[in-house]
Amino acid sequence: MGIDKRKNDHIYLASSDLSQVGTALFEEVVLIHNALPEIDFSDIDLSTNFLGAPVKAPFGIGAMTGGTELAGKINAELAKAAEEFGIPMYVGSQRIALVKPEVRWTFEVVKQNAPSIPKIANLGAPQLAQLSEKQLVDWVVQAVDMIDAYAVAVHLNAAQEVVQPEGEPSFRGVLEKLKIVKRAAGRPLIVKEVGNGISKEVAAKLAEVADAIDVGGLGGTSFVAIEGARAADAWLQRRVAETFKYWGIPTAASICEVKSVYRGFVIASGGIRSGLDGARALALGAHFFTMSQPLLKATLEGRLREEIEAVITEVKIAMFLTGVRRPQELAQVPRVYGPRLRAWLEQRGTTC
Amino acid sequence: MGIDKRKNDHIYLASSDLSQVGTALFEEVVLIHNALPEIDFSDIDLSTNFLGAPVKAPFGIGAMTGGTELAGKINAELAKAAEEFGIPMYVGSQRIALVKPEVRWTFEVVKQNAPSIPKIANLGAPQLAQLSEKQLVDWVVQAVDMIDAYAVAVHLNAAQEVVQPEGEPSFRGVLEKLKIVKRAAGRPLIVKEVGNGISKEVAAKLAEVADAIDVGGLGGTSFVAIEGARAADAWLQRRVAETFKYWGIPTAASICEVKSVYRGFVIASGGIRSGLDGARALALGAHFFTMSQPLLKATLEGRLREEIEAVITEVKIAMFLTGVRRPQELAQVPRVYGPRLRAWLEQRGTTC
Amino acid sequence: MGIDKRKNDHIYLASSDLSQVGTALFEEVVLIHNALPEIDFSDIDLSTNFLGAPVKAPFGIGAMTGGTELAGKINAELAKAAEEFGIPMYVGSQRIALVKPEVRWTFEVVKQNAPSIPKIANLGAPQLAQLSEKQLVDWVVQAVDMIDAYAVAVHLNAAQEVVQPEGEPSFRGVLEKLKIVKRAAGRPLIVKEVGNGISKEVAAKLAEVADAIDVGGLGGTSFVAIEGARAADAWLQRRVAETFKYWGIPTAASICEVKSVYRGFVIASGGIRSGLDGARALALGAHFFTMSQPLLKATLEGRLREEIEAVITEVKIAMFLTGVRRPQELAQVPRVYGPRLRAWLEQRGTTC
Amino acid sequence: MGIDKRKNDHIYLASSDLSQVGTALFEEVVLIHNALPEIDFSDIDLSTNFLGAPVKAPFGIGAMTGGTELAGKINAELAKAAEEFGIPMYVGSQRIALVKPEVRWTFEVVKQNAPSIPKIANLGAPQLAQLSEKQLVDWVVQAVDMIDAYAVAVHLNAAQEVVQPEGEPSFRGVLEKLKIVKRAAGRPLIVKEVGNGISKEVAAKLAEVADAIDVGGLGGTSFVAIEGARAADAWLQRRVAETFKYWGIPTAASICEVKSVYRGFVIASGGIRSGLDGARALALGAHFFTMSQPLLKATLEGRLREEIEAVITEVKIAMFLTGVRRPQELAQVPRVYGPRLRAWLEQRGTTC
Ligand SMILES: Cc1cc2nc3c(=O)[nH]c(=O)nc-3n(C[C@H](O)[C@H](O)[C@H](O)COP(=O)(O)O)c2cc1C
Ligand SMILES: Cc1cc2nc3c(=O)[nH]c(=O)nc-3n(C[C@H](O)[C@H](O)[C@H](O)COP(=O)(O)O)c2cc1C
Ligand SMILES: Cc1cc2nc3c(=O)[nH]c(=O)nc-3n(C[C@H](O)[C@H](O)[C@H](O)COP(=O)(O)O)c2cc1C
Ligand SMILES: Cc1cc2nc3c(=O)[nH]c(=O)nc-3n(C[C@H](O)[C@H](O)[C@H](O)COP(=O)(O)O)c2cc1C
């Protein structure tokens, strides 16, 4: 069936280099080496909270999948690792399970394998925009139940919708619908992008409704690139995907944009490729970060635990070498920015 | 005959990569992604006006050809597509038809195939400069009649004239002649460059006479490069073409220069290679944009409609992803500029 | 035995290109050519003092080795050359000789072969941090005696300790221990990095205890890279080394950081690859510079004297072409900095 | 004989790419295109004066050679062309003819073949510095007579002298000697560099003695590179040449430095590779420019007249496209500078 094939295509394409586009600008965030850290490595404590829930690290598994056999297996693997490391986990868009009850299990494996960690439900804005208030409430309640969610994430994916033939580029009324989602969920609401970033103008609009913003910036997985690669035989779609390949706000810039106007919980994602990138995101003011593609790839290659371990080690090393014991202290460490990030911030009237 | 060969050479060389030179600096115009556009894609309406005439898109076919068998066929193709899409169309320089009446048909096909759209007549400044006032009035009237023109464009092509052996690098008195053209035409006068751009100093001089300025900036088709490529056996001409290959004002910079001093209608052209580039030109303040070489190439390859369709789709996508419904709103969307464009504007004392 | 293999591995890896990482930013320090130097080359006099001791050049041999048969031979070679040229010489970390008395000779060769020059003892901060005050005093006294040291250097190598499996990433209490070292030594105390640089924050802390700071900045030999290369079969270690490969403060930037807050003697090291780089370091305000890897490589290739001769000649040429007779005058010569160094200084609130 | 071989080596190496080093930064001087020049190409008049003498173009043949059979032939060719085009010509250093009278003819051919143009005598500063006042006066008088010189140039070549084994890096007392030269010559005195540029500090010192400064900046022929290439078997010399390869002030920057403090006649040279570069030099404020290596190469390849013709044509094209009739008007045309030149000027406290 169409949607099955698309979901699996997304998984395979996302794990190839074709899907990785541009730069998140983390290479332009240079944390200043502290030659005299005055701490021991063993003093470092990564534990923190995720929207109020205690977690073992400022780091979680990003929103990815569900809905197919393969997706179900991946979700189970990710959930086991998340439980083991005590870190939060998002699921991919749950719409498929709401319209096709026989695939609910591909999401339910998450609560079964990860009972104790914060799990995040996931729905897409353009789909929600088309539901009546009643249906919407029903979907949200079901999505939460399906994984025993701690929070609900709604993803904004305008670029993806507009470049794919099956897309639904309909964003009229989304902001109003988000308010309904929040009420229906009775849980923290996260609004997230999927790879094109959140601007300060959007963050300001979201301030009244979102408990958290997940920036989902440019520089890692690109759905524009993925949809372009899927369109091998459709000239217009390939052309359009090529034209808009680098569209979006690099993750580092997006964190600064959001922080400049938004007081809620900020999650960094998009192109974070090491614990050092994660530490840089925290230094820019994010409270938390997630990775998606690298964890998907590691799962498919059977080395998920090693990857998570590496990320955690790298965050700790960055903290050791800047002399801080707790993740939130990274926000104060001295740093130097590169020219592109500086020019971006200057022109956008924000500091970081 | 010489002029026939030159016209066809221009067509073939223009469609090769040899003719494409430098950068228009559109890659330095980053429009800020709007993750929450609050519109539906179907809300977007490209219709606008071209110097007062209603058209279906802020986009037209640039000045190219006429005068030879091949040129006549191309003009007919372009005219049919322009009519179909409801967009304006320039013709190439009509001098050849004024001195060789037997090739008038190569321009007349345009009015025959595109009765309802705005058509733009075309004459070259250095030739006009050498005519008596009487002849000049006669030429303008004939050129307008030939295609039932809505407006008249006079092109300034100093670099082309000066690097080609047959060139007429004579620009004394051009400004005075433009006033005569305007009176004779009784229609809007467009003054355009052909690939080296209009500076703010020139725009200020043109302000008293031109209803529209078409910037024709550096970064796309280069007549210096084309004349250099034609001069396979003339060392001096090749050398000079190589030396002046990158001479000119990049289109993005030229739009800003012109906008800083000129209140009339501004048309962007030169190196616009997608609807996204077009949207960037509109964001910089242009009212309209044209493409030449990509449409010529598409015509020769039998995919003109697909190309126009793609450009229109790309403009719409850029509008969707910045959350605007009408082309003119693009001028207000947030953006970030790259270092070369910023340095240019700063040194030239203009903003954008 | 483990430590023997590690020491020799360090020597061989350090002499390969794998160990050389990033840029010290000396290519961004352009000394202005003086076409009219108004001196003769023979007027130039490199003699200066090293922490009060007269030496023949503002240049010495950096801290490297000791503890193995090979290291002993290298130390003897380096010492002979240092004596011949009348320049100071550091030894490598002496801990190995304190715990394994049978290898003391590999350090003692230095005083035997270089009786008259200033020799610098060497101990590592993380090891010192774990000693009792009594042991510490004992170690320092032994280290000084072993080479008849003029000064004692303690190295801060947090990055190296944290990326290697055998590492001791323990820096709690180091500052207090440094005070004990200083008292015990009764000689000038040098605090040095080993390739990741000293920030102004660290320099300010060291001001109360260090007679000299040796910046040991990024851009030359990298222990992160060396430890990564040693870890051929340990995935996590290789990954972490790759992630932190460019961590640190480029030497040119580090000199400026230190100079902005520290009034003591400043030694430049890390990625100095010619006498011109050395002259640039002096122009930035360093009093002295050292090289390590190039001298190690020259020793292994049997051309140590030629290398030292070249460095000395290059310093003199740089002085001739800026028209100065004495090394300390380089601090006043006109210069232009590149964009990366300027941006660094600007953001860090320091000038140079 | 040694000096013969060296002179011919210089000629052959200079005509190879090995001798061409770095950038003169002319690519960072963008003259703004004037789409409406309001002149005819035939209105342009290149005639100007060279230190008071009328010449046909703001352009001459740089100081190169003399002293060997080959050099004599080259000088005769250059002189014929200079006479034909009515442009000035320097000769190379005349010392060889002062110590070896049998080679005087290699310079005398210049006055024989170019009786009417301004000819410039040439001596080297370090050699002059070693002469008694009496000898010095004698040399100057002889050098002038030898070519019936209109002016005398003394070259400052500190970098060349210091990197070559036969070099005489002696610049003590040069300024005083220049005063004697000026008195003895009774003609305008030009002080020139040979490829490393004149700083504003040096220009200020020269102000009291030099009627003209020829900047001889970095970016074209490099004697450091030439001496390095000659030293195939001398390690130290090759190494030193490699280290100092990019030493010097790029010509564009040097023009601005000199203009900021010096009111005399300014000649641009070093890396000028087309008439467009020449026009840029004039736009920066130079009164005149010379080329050396390209004319040497053209002579050896038998196309000297074509090269001069091309340069003249290019200067005219640059003037046409900026709308100016006379060379000196180029100093007023609008322009934009690139980032390296801007940063240089900013840091050096000069404008341009
Ligand atoms: C295979 C795959 C599927 C994804 N599906 C979803 C999704 O259903 N919902 C969502 O909010 N984000 C989805 N994302 C986007 C990610 O949550 C994330 O924003 C994006 O991948 C950028 O992070 P990365 O560069 O670390 O991969 C998906 C990403 C991948 C790689
Ligand atoms: C084959 C060809 C012929 C052209 N002939 C003319 C012409 O006759 N008159 C004119 O005003 N511009 C002429 N132009 C210039 C275009 O109008 C336009 O300014 C230039 O090509 C830059 O746009 P582009 O980069 O989209 O091609 C011609 C362009 C091409 C490609
Ligand atoms: C083989 C080798 C061993 C080193 N061992 C020590 C050491 O034991 N103690 C120390 O303080 N620095 C040590 N260093 C670091 C150097 O002193 C110096 O800080 C670093 O190599 C950067 O300089 P360079 O780029 O010129 O090599 C060593 C360097 C090398 C190349
Ligand atoms: C072969 C050759 C010989 C030269 N000899 C002299 C010389 O004797 N005296 C002098 O003042 N400059 C001499 N120069 C330097 C030139 O005058 C000029 O400053 C330098 O070549 C930079 O210009 P270019 O890049 O156009 O070659 C020589 C240059 C060349 C190429």
Side-chain angles (χ1 to χ4, degrees):
Chain A
M1 185 229 148
I3 199 168
D4 250 49
K5 176 157 168 30
R6 194 172 84 212
K7 292 258 169 195
N8 287 347
D9 275 3
H10 279 174
I11 290 171
Y12 292 122
L13 283 169
S15 54
S16 105
D17 274 1
L18 283 176
S19 68
Q20 303 299 303
V21 157
T23 167
L25 290 183
F26 286 118
E27 74 281 8
E28 293 216 350
V29 179
V30 178
L31 306 181
I32 301 294
H33 176 62
N34 183 342
L36 195 69
E38 288 279 353
I39 57 172
D40 289 356
F41 192 68
S42 57
D43 295 340
I44 294 169
D45 176 2
L46 288 192
S47 67
T48 183
N49 79 78
F50 177 79
L51 274 167
V55 290
K56 295 253 182 66
F59 155 63
I61 297 175
M64 283 188 284
T65 201
T68 68
E69 182 84 29
L70 174 63
K73 284 188 189 158
I74 292 170
N75 269 346
E77 284 305 314
L78 293 170
K80 279 180 219 162
E83 181 73 16
E84 212 172 299
F85 284 95
I87 58 175
M89 172 179 170
Y90 286 76
V91 293
S93 175
Q94 292 168 267
R95 179 173 52 157
I96 192 168
L98 297 168
V99 299
K100 264 179 77 177
E102 66 273 28
V103 303
R104 287 178 70 107
W105 72 267
T106 64
F107 294 94
E108 287 164 345
V109 291
V110 171
K111 74 178 166 196
Q112 289 149 9
N113 286 290
S116 71
I117 57 149
K119 291 165 286 293
I120 302 112
N122 192 301
L123 290 166
Q127 288 82 45
L128 302 188
Q130 282 148 22
L131 300 180
S132 69
E133 176 156 355
K134 193 165 159 301
Q135 279 177 299
L136 186 50
V137 171
D138 177 52
W139 275 33
V140 171
V141 171
Q142 281 196 52
V144 166
D145 280 1
M146 208 182 298
I147 61 161
D148 187 15
Y150 177 79
V152 173
V154 176
H155 63 261
L156 309 174
N157 62 340
Q160 181 184 17
E161 295 293 346
V162 83
V163 300
Q164 69 178 325
E166 320 88 333
E168 298 171 46
S170 309
F171 277 71
R172 220 187 305 130
V174 162
L175 202 51
E176 284 313 304
K177 292 287 158 81
L178 287 175
K179 292 178 190 161
I180 301 171
V181 173
K182 188 179 160 86
R183 275 200 308 274
R187 277 157 174 70
L189 173 65
I190 301 170
V191 182
K192 75 184 289 285
E193 244 288 345
V194 301
N196 302 288
I198 303 279
S199 65
K200 66 178 183 184
E201 290 83 2
V202 169
K205 284 197 208 160
L206 293 175
E208 47 169 328
V209 59
D211 299 292
I213 292 178
D214 178 336
V215 303
L218 179 72
T221 307
S222 159
F223 277 99
V224 174
I226 289 174
E227 299 301 342
R230 280 180 59 221
D233 48 355
W235 180 83
L236 180 62
Q237 197 180 336
R238 263 186 298 127
R239 148 97 181 227
V240 154
E242 195 58 35
T243 299
F244 286 89
K245 202 165 168 178
Y246 298 106
W247 182 271
I249 307 173
T251 302
S254 187
I255 297 168
C256 298
E257 295 233 350
V258 171
K259 287 293 292 182
S260 73
V261 297
Y262 179 73
R263 298 289 148 251
F265 197 78
V266 176
I267 302 165
S269 71
I272 295 177
R273 293 296 171 263
S274 67
L276 174 55
D277 285 348
R280 287 158 164 163
L282 301 180
L284 293 177
H287 300 92
F288 205 82
F289 71 93
T290 70
M291 285 162 74
S292 294
Q293 195 263 6
L295 300 181
L296 175 66
K297 216 176 155 207
T299 305
L300 295 175
E301 295 171 1
R303 50 170 191 79
L304 178 58
R305 271 153 198 78
E306 286 83 344
E307 182 71 23
I308 296 177
E309 191 66 52
V311 172
I312 286 174
T313 305
E314 290 165 335
V315 177
K316 283 185 172 175
I317 292 178
M319 290 170 67
F320 182 64
L321 297 179
T322 50
V324 305
R325 276 167 235 249
R326 307 297 306 257
Q328 57 270 29
E329 296 172 44
L330 281 165
Q332 315 304 332
V333 304
R335 82 277 315 262
V336 162
Y337 300 136
R340 292 183 55 186
L341 184 55
R342 286 182 86 195
W344 186 290
L345 299 178
E346 196 182 316
Q347 289 179 76
R348 294 285 286 155
T350 61
T351 52
C352 210
Chain B
M1 186 228 148
I3 200 167
D4 251 49
K5 175 153 170 30
R6 193 172 84 212
K7 291 259 166 192
N8 287 348
D9 275 3
H10 280 176
I11 290 171
Y12 292 122
L13 282 170
S15 54
S16 106
D17 274 1
L18 283 176
S19 68
Q20 304 298 303
V21 157
T23 166
L25 289 184
F26 286 118
E27 74 281 7
E28 293 216 350
V29 179
V30 178
L31 305 182
I32 300 294
H33 177 61
N34 183 342
L36 195 69
E38 288 279 354
I39 57 173
D40 289 357
F41 192 69
S42 57
D43 295 339
I44 294 169
D45 176 2
L46 288 192
S47 67
T48 183
N49 80 77
F50 176 79
L51 275 167
V55 290
K56 295 255 181 64
F59 155 63
I61 297 175
M64 281 187 285
T65 201
T68 69
E69 182 84 31
L70 174 63
K73 285 187 188 156
I74 292 170
N75 269 345
E77 285 305 313
L78 292 170
K80 280 180 217 159
E83 181 73 17
E84 212 172 299
F85 284 96
I87 58 175
M89 172 178 169
Y90 287 76
V91 293
S93 175
Q94 292 168 268
R95 179 173 53 157
I96 190 167
L98 297 168
V99 299
K100 263 178 77 179
E102 67 273 27
V103 302
R104 287 179 69 110
W105 71 266
T106 64
F107 294 93
E108 288 163 343
V109 291
V110 172
K111 73 178 168 199
Q112 289 149 7
N113 286 289
S116 72
I117 58 151
K119 290 165 287 295
I120 302 112
N122 192 300
L123 289 167
Q127 288 83 46
L128 302 187
Q130 282 147 21
L131 299 180
S132 69
E133 176 158 354
K134 192 165 159 300
Q135 279 176 300
L136 185 52
V137 170
D138 177 53
W139 275 33
V140 170
V141 171
Q142 282 195 52
V144 166
D145 280 0
M146 209 183 297
I147 62 163
D148 188 14
Y150 177 78
V152 173
V154 176
H155 62 263
L156 308 174
N157 62 340
Q160 182 185 17
E161 296 293 345
V162 83
V163 300
Q164 68 179 324
E166 320 88 334
E168 298 170 46
S170 308
F171 277 71
R172 219 189 303 131
V174 163
L175 201 53
E176 283 314 303
K177 292 288 158 82
L178 288 175
K179 292 178 191 163
I180 301 171
V181 174
K182 188 179 161 85
R183 276 200 309 273
R187 277 157 174 73
L189 173 66
I190 301 170
V191 181
K192 74 183 290 285
E193 243 287 345
V194 301
N196 301 289
I198 302 280
S199 65
K200 66 177 184 185
E201 290 84 0
V202 169
K205 285 196 206 159
L206 294 175
E208 47 169 328
V209 61
D211 299 291
I213 292 177
D214 179 336
V215 304
L218 179 72
T221 307
S222 159
F223 278 100
V224 174
I226 289 175
E227 299 301 342
R230 281 179 58 222
D233 47 356
W235 179 83
L236 179 63
Q237 198 180 335
R238 263 187 297 126
R239 147 96 182 227
V240 154
E242 195 56 37
T243 299
F244 285 88
K245 202 165 167 179
Y246 298 106
W247 181 270
I249 307 173
T251 302
S254 187
I255 297 169
C256 299
E257 295 232 351
V258 171
K259 287 293 294 182
S260 74
V261 297
Y262 180 72
R263 298 289 147 251
F265 197 78
V266 177
I267 303 165
S269 70
I272 295 178
R273 293 297 171 262
S274 67
L276 174 54
D277 284 348
R280 287 158 164 163
L282 301 180
L284 293 176
H287 300 93
F288 204 82
F289 70 94
T290 70
M291 284 163 75
S292 295
Q293 195 263 6
L295 300 180
L296 175 66
K297 218 178 153 204
T299 306
L300 295 176
E301 295 171 1
R303 49 170 192 78
L304 178 59
R305 272 154 197 78
E306 286 83 343
E307 182 70 24
I308 296 177
E309 192 65 53
V311 172
I312 286 173
T313 305
E314 290 165 335
V315 177
K316 284 185 171 177
I317 292 178
M319 290 170 66
F320 182 64
L321 297 180
T322 50
V324 305
R325 276 166 236 251
R326 307 299 306 259
Q328 57 271 29
E329 296 172 46
L330 280 166
Q332 316 303 332
V333 305
R335 83 278 314 262
V336 161
Y337 300 136
R340 290 184 56 186
L341 184 55
R342 286 182 85 196
W344 186 290
L345 299 178
E346 197 182 316
Q347 289 179 77
R348 293 285 287 157
T350 62
T351 51
C352 210
Chain C
M1 187 228 145
I3 199 167
D4 250 49
K5 176 156 168 29
R6 194 172 85 212
K7 292 258 167 193
N8 286 348
D9 276 4
H10 279 175
I11 290 171
Y12 292 122
L13 283 169
S15 54
S16 105
D17 274 1
L18 283 176
S19 68
Q20 303 299 303
V21 157
T23 166
L25 290 182
F26 286 118
E27 73 282 8
E28 294 216 350
V29 178
V30 179
L31 304 182
I32 300 295
H33 177 61
N34 183 342
L36 196 69
E38 289 279 354
I39 56 172
D40 290 357
F41 191 69
S42 56
D43 294 339
I44 295 168
D45 176 3
L46 289 191
S47 66
T48 184
N49 80 78
F50 175 80
L51 275 166
V55 289
K56 295 255 183 66
F59 155 62
I61 298 175
M64 283 188 283
T65 201
T68 69
E69 181 84 30
L70 173 63
K73 284 186 189 158
I74 293 170
N75 270 345
E77 285 305 312
L78 293 170
K80 279 179 218 160
E83 181 73 17
E84 212 173 299
F85 285 95
I87 59 175
M89 172 180 169
Y90 286 77
V91 294
S93 176
Q94 291 168 269
R95 179 173 53 158
I96 191 167
L98 297 167
V99 300
K100 262 178 77 180
E102 67 273 27
V103 302
R104 288 178 69 109
W105 71 266
T106 64
F107 293 94
E108 287 163 345
V109 292
V110 171
K111 72 179 168 197
Q112 289 149 7
N113 287 289
S116 72
I117 58 151
K119 291 165 286 295
I120 302 113
N122 192 300
L123 290 167
Q127 287 82 44
L128 302 187
Q130 282 148 22
L131 300 180
S132 68
E133 176 158 354
K134 194 165 159 299
Q135 277 176 302
L136 186 50
V137 171
D138 177 53
W139 276 33
V140 170
V141 171
Q142 281 196 50
V144 166
D145 279 1
M146 209 183 297
I147 62 163
D148 187 14
Y150 177 79
V152 174
V154 176
H155 62 263
L156 308 174
N157 62 340
Q160 181 185 17
E161 296 292 345
V162 82
V163 300
Q164 68 177 325
E166 320 88 334
E168 297 171 46
S170 308
F171 277 71
R172 218 187 307 129
V174 162
L175 202 51
E176 284 313 302
K177 292 288 159 81
L178 288 174
K179 292 179 191 161
I180 300 171
V181 173
K182 188 180 160 87
R183 275 199 308 274
R187 276 157 174 71
L189 172 65
I190 302 170
V191 181
K192 76 183 289 284
E193 243 288 347
V194 300
N196 302 287
I198 303 281
S199 65
K200 66 178 182 182
E201 291 84 1
V202 168
K205 284 197 208 160
L206 293 175
E208 47 169 329
V209 58
D211 299 292
I213 291 177
D214 178 336
V215 304
L218 180 71
T221 307
S222 159
F223 277 98
V224 175
I226 289 175
E227 299 301 341
R230 281 180 58 221
D233 48 355
W235 180 84
L236 180 61
Q237 198 181 335
R238 264 187 298 127
R239 148 95 182 229
V240 154
E242 196 56 37
T243 299
F244 286 88
K245 201 165 166 178
Y246 298 105
W247 181 271
I249 307 173
T251 302
S254 187
I255 297 168
C256 299
E257 296 232 351
V258 171
K259 287 293 292 184
S260 73
V261 297
Y262 179 73
R263 298 289 147 252
F265 197 77
V266 176
I267 302 165
S269 69
I272 295 177
R273 292 297 171 261
S274 67
L276 174 55
D277 285 349
R280 287 158 164 163
L282 300 181
L284 293 176
H287 300 92
F288 204 82
F289 71 93
T290 70
M291 286 163 73
S292 294
Q293 195 263 5
L295 300 181
L296 175 65
K297 214 174 156 208
T299 305
L300 295 176
E301 296 170 1
R303 49 169 192 79
L304 177 59
R305 271 154 198 77
E306 286 83 345
E307 182 70 25
I308 296 178
E309 192 65 52
V311 172
I312 285 174
T313 305
E314 290 165 336
V315 177
K316 283 185 172 177
I317 292 178
M319 290 170 67
F320 181 64
L321 297 179
T322 51
V324 305
R325 275 167 235 251
R326 307 298 306 259
Q328 57 270 28
E329 295 172 45
L330 281 166
Q332 315 303 333
V333 304
R335 82 279 313 264
V336 160
Y337 300 137
R340 292 183 57 187
L341 184 56
R342 285 183 85 196
W344 186 291
L345 299 179
E346 197 182 316
Q347 290 180 75
R348 294 285 287 156
T350 61
T351 50
C352 211
Chain D
M1 186 228 144
I3 199 168
D4 250 51
K5 176 155 169 30
R6 194 173 84 213
K7 291 258 166 194
N8 286 348
D9 275 3
H10 279 175
I11 289 172
Y12 292 121
L13 282 169
S15 54
S16 106
D17 274 1
L18 282 177
S19 68
Q20 303 298 303
V21 157
T23 166
L25 289 183
F26 286 118
E27 72 282 8
E28 294 216 350
V29 178
V30 179
L31 304 181
I32 300 294
H33 176 62
N34 183 342
L36 196 70
E38 290 278 355
I39 57 172
D40 290 357
F41 192 68
S42 57
D43 295 339
I44 294 168
D45 175 3
L46 289 192
S47 66
T48 184
N49 80 78
F50 175 79
L51 274 167
V55 289
K56 295 255 182 64
F59 156 62
I61 298 175
M64 282 187 283
T65 200
T68 68
E69 181 84 32
L70 174 64
K73 285 187 189 158
I74 292 170
N75 269 346
E77 284 306 312
L78 293 170
K80 281 180 217 161
E83 182 73 17
E84 212 173 299
F85 285 95
I87 58 175
M89 173 179 169
Y90 286 77
V91 293
S93 175
Q94 292 168 268
R95 179 174 52 159
I96 191 167
L98 297 168
V99 299
K100 262 177 78 179
E102 67 273 26
V103 302
R104 286 179 71 109
W105 71 267
T106 64
F107 294 93
E108 288 164 344
V109 291
V110 171
K111 73 178 168 197
Q112 289 149 8
N113 287 289
S116 72
I117 57 151
K119 292 166 286 294
I120 302 111
N122 192 300
L123 290 167
Q127 288 82 46
L128 302 187
Q130 283 148 20
L131 301 179
S132 69
E133 177 157 353
K134 191 164 161 302
Q135 278 176 301
L136 185 51
V137 171
D138 176 54
W139 276 32
V140 171
V141 171
Q142 282 195 51
V144 167
D145 280 0
M146 209 183 296
I147 61 163
D148 187 16
Y150 178 79
V152 173
V154 176
H155 62 263
L156 308 174
N157 62 339
Q160 182 185 16
E161 296 293 345
V162 82
V163 300
Q164 66 178 326
E166 319 89 333
E168 298 171 45
S170 308
F171 277 72
R172 219 187 306 130
V174 163
L175 202 51
E176 283 313 304
K177 293 288 160 79
L178 288 174
K179 291 179 192 162
I180 300 171
V181 173
K182 189 180 158 87
R183 273 199 311 273
R187 278 157 173 72
L189 173 65
I190 302 170
V191 182
K192 75 183 288 286
E193 243 287 348
V194 301
N196 302 288
I198 302 280
S199 65
K200 65 177 183 183
E201 290 83 1
V202 168
K205 284 196 207 159
L206 294 175
E208 47 170 328
V209 60
D211 299 292
I213 292 177
D214 179 335
V215 304
L218 179 72
T221 307
S222 158
F223 277 99
V224 175
I226 289 175
E227 299 301 341
R230 281 179 58 221
D233 47 356
W235 180 83
L236 179 63
Q237 197 181 337
R238 264 188 295 126
R239 147 96 183 227
V240 154
E242 196 56 39
T243 299
F244 286 88
K245 202 165 167 180
Y246 299 105
W247 181 271
I249 307 173
T251 301
S254 187
I255 297 168
C256 299
E257 296 233 351
V258 171
K259 287 293 292 184
S260 73
V261 298
Y262 180 72
R263 297 289 146 253
F265 196 77
V266 176
I267 302 165
S269 70
I272 295 178
R273 293 296 171 262
S274 67
L276 174 54
D277 284 349
R280 287 158 164 163
L282 301 180
L284 294 176
H287 300 92
F288 204 81
F289 70 94
T290 70
M291 285 164 73
S292 294
Q293 195 264 4
L295 300 180
L296 174 66
K297 216 175 155 208
T299 306
L300 295 176
E301 296 170 2
R303 49 169 192 79
L304 176 59
R305 270 154 198 78
E306 287 83 343
E307 182 70 25
I308 296 178
E309 193 65 54
V311 172
I312 286 174
T313 305
E314 290 164 335
V315 176
K316 283 186 171 175
I317 291 178
M319 289 169 67
F320 182 64
L321 297 180
T322 51
V324 305
R325 275 167 236 250
R326 307 299 306 259
Q328 57 270 29
E329 296 172 44
L330 281 166
Q332 315 304 331
V333 305
R335 83 278 314 262
V336 161
Y337 301 136
R340 291 183 57 187
L341 184 55
R342 286 182 85 196
W344 186 290
L345 299 178
E346 198 181 317
Q347 289 179 77
R348 293 284 287 157
T350 62
T351 51
C352 210

